[in-house]
């Protein structure tokens, strides 16, 4: 799903730039300003996939479940 969003945003943005004949400097500057948004859509799923495939996700779930059993901590008010 994230790939579809990123690709559609890039394609639509490119079409808008070409439609209004924007110069290359403006294109590069706008790409740089929105790089953090693109990184969110690309890197977070990548890290999640790597953690899941390496077994870290299951280990983290097990550690949290074990901690919940031993601490018995209630909700913080």
């Amino acid at each position: 799903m994230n790939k579809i969003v990123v690709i559609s945003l890039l394609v639509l943005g490119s079409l808008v730039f070409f439609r209004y004949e924007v110069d290359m400097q403006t294109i590069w500057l706008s790409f740089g300003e929105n790089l953090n948004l693109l990184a969110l859509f690309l890197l977070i799923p990548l890290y999640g996939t790597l953690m899941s495939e390496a077994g870290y996700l299951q280990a983290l779930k097990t550690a949290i479940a074990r901690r919940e059993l031993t601490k018995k901590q209630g909700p913080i008010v």
Side-chain angles (χ1 to χ4, degrees):
M1 183 66 181
N2 289 325
K3 289 180 186 178
I4 294 170
V5 171
V6 170
I7 290 171
S8 63
L9 287 175
L10 286 173
V11 168
L12 289 172
S14 299
L15 289 174
V16 168
F17 283 139
F18 289 124
R19 167 72 173 96
Y20 291 103
E21 299 175 0
V22 178
D23 60 313
M24 280 305 281
Q25 182 180 7
T26 305
I27 293 172
W28 281 112
L29 288 175
S30 64
F31 181 75
E33 288 178 9
N34 293 311
L35 196 58
N36 56 352
L37 181 62
L38 289 172
L40 282 175
F41 281 108
L42 294 174
L43 293 179
I44 290 175
L46 177 66
Y47 289 145
T49 303
L50 289 174
M51 284 182 66
S52 179
E53 291 296 319
Y56 292 123
L57 188 59
Q58 186 61 37
L60 182 62
K61 286 180 183 178
T62 305
I64 290 173
R66 196 176 317 136
R67 182 177 172 167
E68 285 294 318
L69 289 175
T70 59
K71 288 265 184 173
K72 300 284 186 190
Q73 184 177 7
I76 299 172
V77 180

